[in-house]
């Protein structure tokens, strides 16, 4: 990632901002590179020494981003204390359903004023907690020091310096701006808001809608069906978000419609890809193998459905995802059930 125009450095006093990124998968590594391109000094925490050594010695993460040269401002370690020592911003990009276990060793290591940034998109099974809530609890950080980043941010496109925008959300506006300044580059433009609930819900729920879009396309349905699922999917995400206290404007923005379109349309989306395999007739296990791993929406669809039921919110597409992915219902049966729902005026209700 060395051929981008240099971005103005972000300073904390007289020094470049020291930041840590916990998680060395494709998105964590990409975000580390973005922050380095923005002028930050970045330490990437990896679970394996092979990945850490590759980043340190070769400026590569060939396990997850084989064709990308990382900026000189990125180094890596497997030592949790060394990774976050002195970091003013700590971004977290680990699998959402394993976040508690992975992050437990970091609990007492963060700097007292560090802002924690969730790059994760999911709802925790069993607790129905959003990832910012999990981070605040596990790391013992107040909510005003937890930010989330979400938008149409497919890692491989950003790693190739294709232009995009995102949303940085935090209940503390100053901390949202602080994080946004630390990841602003010539190809990555962050906007800010304070609607953490809305931004996170969009990021989690769009994976479920992408699964259903993929299933429909794998079954052979075309663009009319795709547009219908995306549009009605946004309605149910909005409906649930409003019940949870989110701001309606968020759902038409980058974290809402923006991320939904990208995830539902791109072959780079694991959720979309896995869904296509299921729609083509594969079992879930076969689809996971063909995709090269599971997709976040496979796990989140159940927790999002539980969350919606707890708040008495109708989410028929999410329920359809659970029925097809986990309950063994056929695509045709679920499609007939969706189309056979009672007619009503088009609205958020």
């Amino acid at each position: 990632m060395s051929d981008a125009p240099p971005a103005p450095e972000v300073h904390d006093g007289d020094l470049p901002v020291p930041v840590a990124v916990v998680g060395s998968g494709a998105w964590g590594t990409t975000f580390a590179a973005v922050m380095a391109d923005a002028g930050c000094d970045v330490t990437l925490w990896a679970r394996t020494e092979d990945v850490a050594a590759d980043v340190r010695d070769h400026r590569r993460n060939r396990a997850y981003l084989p064709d990308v040269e990382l900026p000189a401002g990125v180094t890596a370690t497997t030592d949790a204390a060394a990774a976050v020592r002195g970091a003013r911003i700590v971004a977290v990009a680990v699998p959402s359903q394993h976040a508690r276990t992975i992050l437990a060793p970091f609990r007492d290591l963060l700097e007292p004023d560090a802002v924690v940034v969730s790059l994760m998109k999911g709802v925790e099974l069993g607790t129905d907690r959003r990832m910012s809530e999990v981070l605040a609890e596990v790391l013992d950080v107040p909510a005003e020091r937890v930010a989330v980043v979400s938008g149409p941010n497919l890692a491989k496109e950003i790693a190739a310096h294709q232009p995009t925008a995102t949303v940085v959300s935090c209940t503390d506006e100053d901390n949202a701006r602080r994080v946004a300044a630390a990841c602003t580059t010539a190809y990555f433009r962050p906007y800010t808001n304070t609607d953490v609930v809305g931004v996170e819900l969009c990021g989690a729920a769009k994976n479920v809608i992408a699964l259903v879009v993929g299933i429909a396309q794998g079954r052979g349905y075309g663009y009319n069906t795709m547009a219908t699922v995306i549009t009605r999917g946004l309605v149910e995400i909005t409906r649930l978000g409003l019940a949870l206290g989110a701001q309606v404007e968020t759902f038409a923005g980058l974290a809402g419609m923006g991320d939904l379109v990208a995830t539902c349309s791109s072959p780079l989306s694991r959720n979309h890809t896995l869904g296509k395999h299921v729609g083509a007739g594969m079992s879930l296990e076969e689809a996971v193998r063909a995709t090269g791993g599971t997709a976040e929406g496979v796990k989140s669809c159940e927790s999002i459905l539980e969350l919606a039921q707890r708040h008495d919110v109708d989410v028929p597409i999410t329920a359809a995802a659970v029925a097809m992915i986990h309950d063994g219902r056929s695509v045709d049966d679920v499609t007939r059930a969706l189309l056979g729902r009672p007619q009503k005026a088009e609205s958020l209700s």
Side-chain angles (χ1 to χ4, degrees), residues 19 43 50 55 118 144 158 175 193 215 243 306 308 326 332:
V19 305
T43 301
D50 287 348
V55 173
S118 173
E144 62 268 20
I158 297 172
N175 283 332
N193 73 25
I215 290 171
E306 290 173 3
H326 296 289
D332 290 343

Side-chain angles (χ1 to χ4, degrees), residues 253-275:
L254 289 162
M257 179 56 82
D259 198 8
L260 187 63
V261 169
T263 307
C264 290
S265 305
S266 174
L268 296 176
S269 163
R270 181 171 286 187
N271 291 279
H272 179 264
T273 299
L274 190 148

Side-chain angles (χ1 to χ4, degrees), residues 69-240:
E69 180 179 351
L70 299 174
V74 178
T75 188
T77 182
T78 57
D79 185 324
V84 300
R85 186 179 298 122
R88 308 263 71 84
I89 297 173
V90 178
V92 180
V94 300
S96 63
Q97 303 305 327
H98 301 287
R100 287 185 186 273
T101 301
I102 295 171
L103 295 174
F106 291 86
R107 180 180 178 90
D108 299 319
L109 301 176
L110 302 188
E111 298 295 335
D113 63 344
V115 177
V116 179
V117 182
S118 173
L119 304 178
M120 301 175 290
K121 297 178 178 179
V123 175
E124 188 178 43
L125 286 167
T127 69
D128 298 339
R129 294 186 188 277
R130 292 173 285 106
M131 289 298 103
S132 67
E133 296 174 309
V134 173
L135 289 180
E137 183 177 330
V138 174
L139 298 176
D140 193 22
V141 175
E144 62 268 20
R145 279 183 28 226
V146 180
V148 300
V149 171
S150 194
N153 299 152
L154 296 163
K156 289 184 178 179
E157 292 185 1
I158 297 172
H161 291 165
Q162 295 183 23
T164 192
T166 197
V167 176
V168 178
S169 184
C170 183
T171 57
D172 184 306
E173 291 185 61
D174 289 339
N175 283 332
R177 287 191 289 265
R178 180 178 173 188
V179 174
C183 63
T184 298
T185 73
Y187 57 90
F188 192 81
R189 176 179 173 82
Y191 292 78
T192 62
N193 73 25
T194 58
D195 184 18
V196 175
V197 173
V199 169
E200 279 196 291
L201 184 63
C202 287
K206 57 90 183 183
N207 287 328
V208 180
I209 306 305
L211 270 178
V212 178
V213 168
I215 290 171
Q217 292 185 326
R219 183 67 181 84
Y221 301 146
Y223 289 103
N224 288 338
T225 307
M226 174 181 171
T228 298
V229 175
I230 290 174
T231 305
R232 296 308 299 174
L234 183 62
V235 168
E236 70 180 57
I237 295 171
T238 305
R239 186 188 298 136
L240 179 57

Side-chain angles (χ1 to χ4, degrees), residues 25-45:
W27 181 216
T29 303
T30 296
F31 198 74
V34 169
M35 298 187 88
D37 282 340
C40 299
D41 287 336
V42 184
T43 301
L44 182 67
W45 178 82

Side-chain angles (χ1 to χ4, degrees), residues 282-308:
M282 290 186 185
S283 68
L284 178 58
E285 292 75 17
E286 291 169 336
V288 168
R289 285 196 297 271
T291 306
T294 193
E296 185 61 53
V298 170
K299 299 178 180 179
S300 289
C301 62
E302 292 182 299
S303 53
I304 292 171
L305 180 59
E306 290 173 3
L307 184 64

